[in-house]
Amino acid sequence: QVQLQESGPGLVKPSETLSLICTVSGGSISSYYWTWIRQPPGKGLEWIGYIYSSGSTNYNPSLKSRVTISVDTSKKQFSLKLASVTAADTAVYHCARSKGTSNYYGDWGQGTLVTVSS
Amino acid sequence: IQMTQSPSTLSASVGDRVTITCRAGQSISSWLAWYQQKPGKAPKLLIYDASNLESGVPSRFSGSGSGTEFTLTISSLQPDDFSTYCCQQYFSYPWTFGQGTKVEF
């Protein structure tokens, strides 16, 4: 059974870069879409983007200019960097794995709250 | 594509039949998934491709619909089902989610 665990700072200052890592255990990192999804307080889920195991990426246009998702297959980790954050980026950030090569998500991390505040 | 769920909150009792609706801003064929969310926990996939039950999910959950209107039905609500449910379209990028429906006692 695959497990995903997010890690990273819980507090980021405005204008700085949010950096999170998702560590994958109990499963392969090949042939899946490794995805970041966030949920601002009191709001719905927002798809941030994914990296396929081959390294190809796809980002939400609303965040594309600020987002970088990368993968380290040797460490079985993938990461999220979101630049120039503001209070609107405060959210619970989830990492998720696609169900095979489909576009829905069968495995998720429990999420980590990132607050943007000075 | 905007996804709109109704109702936002639903009051129900154990044993009730519960229906949640998800409407897409344009046709998404059957490219829709349903998830269950509990506070502090990972979302759980319930239904994919609008009507396919994910392995291990109780058969009291079912999904239907195509095009722009979809429903998630819980045939007999159980105590563990009091939760928030949301839909996701994966017809066109960026994938988008409904705002969620909270099922409460």
Side-chain angles (χ1 to χ4, degrees):
Chain A
Q1 179 74 7
V2 69
Q3 292 189 332
L4 288 74
Q5 181 64 57
E6 305 90 350
S7 59
L11 181 64
V12 181
K13 289 182 168 57
S15 80
E16 295 189 343
T17 296
L18 178 160
S19 295
L20 295 174
I21 290 173
C22 182
T23 301
V24 181
S25 58
S28 171
I29 202 158
S30 298
S31 303
Y32 294 98
Y33 293 101
W34 300 97
T35 302
W36 289 95
I37 295 164
R38 70 181 183 179
Q39 186 165 29
K43 296 187 177 182
L45 295 163
E46 179 180 29
W47 181 82
I48 298 171
Y50 68 64
I51 185 164
Y52 189 62
S53 47
S54 64
S56 63
T57 56
N58 196 338
Y59 301 137
N60 192 321
S62 69
L63 299 168
K64 188 174 183 177
S65 63
R66 300 193 290 132
V67 170
T68 303
I69 298 176
S70 58
V71 65
D72 186 332
T73 54
S74 65
K75 293 183 178 179
K76 295 183 72 174
Q77 294 177 334
F78 64 107
S79 65
L80 169 70
K81 292 188 185 298
L82 182 65
S84 305
V85 296
T86 69
D89 296 310
T90 294
V92 173
Y93 286 76
H94 294 276
C95 57
R97 184 182 80 163
S98 64
K99 191 83 174 174
T101 55
S102 63
N103 295 303
Y104 47 88
Y105 301 98
D107 299 289
W108 297 64
Q110 66 179 34
T112 187
L113 174 62
V114 179
T115 301
V116 178
S117 175
S118 55
Chain B
I1 298 176
Q2 185 167 354
M3 306 300 291
T4 304
Q5 287 182 235
S6 60
S8 296
T9 306
L10 188 158
S11 295
S13 300
V14 173
D16 285 353
R17 181 181 181 87
V18 166
T19 298
I20 298 167
T21 298
C22 178
R23 288 187 174 86
Q26 66 182 72
S27 176
I28 59 169
S29 186
S30 296
W31 303 116
L32 185 101
W34 288 98
Y35 300 90
Q36 178 188 61
Q37 279 189 280
K38 296 190 175 185
K41 292 195 173 182
K44 177 183 178 182
L45 176 66
L46 301 174
I47 301 284
Y48 62 92
D49 295 349
S51 60
N52 291 321
L53 191 68
E54 170 68 351
S55 176
V57 174
S59 58
R60 61 180 180 272
F61 291 92
S62 64
S64 64
S66 65
T68 61
E69 188 154 332
F70 302 85
T71 58
L72 173 71
T73 299
I74 309 172
S75 60
S76 178
L77 198 66
Q78 298 302 301
D80 190 51
D81 300 339
F82 290 95
S83 184
T84 298
Y85 297 86
C86 70
C87 57
Q88 176 218 339
Q89 68 82 18
Y90 44 96
F91 174 77
S92 70
Y93 291 114
W95 308 149
T96 47
F97 295 83
Q99 81 279 14
T101 295
K102 184 176 183 180
V103 177
E104 59 184 21
F105 182 73

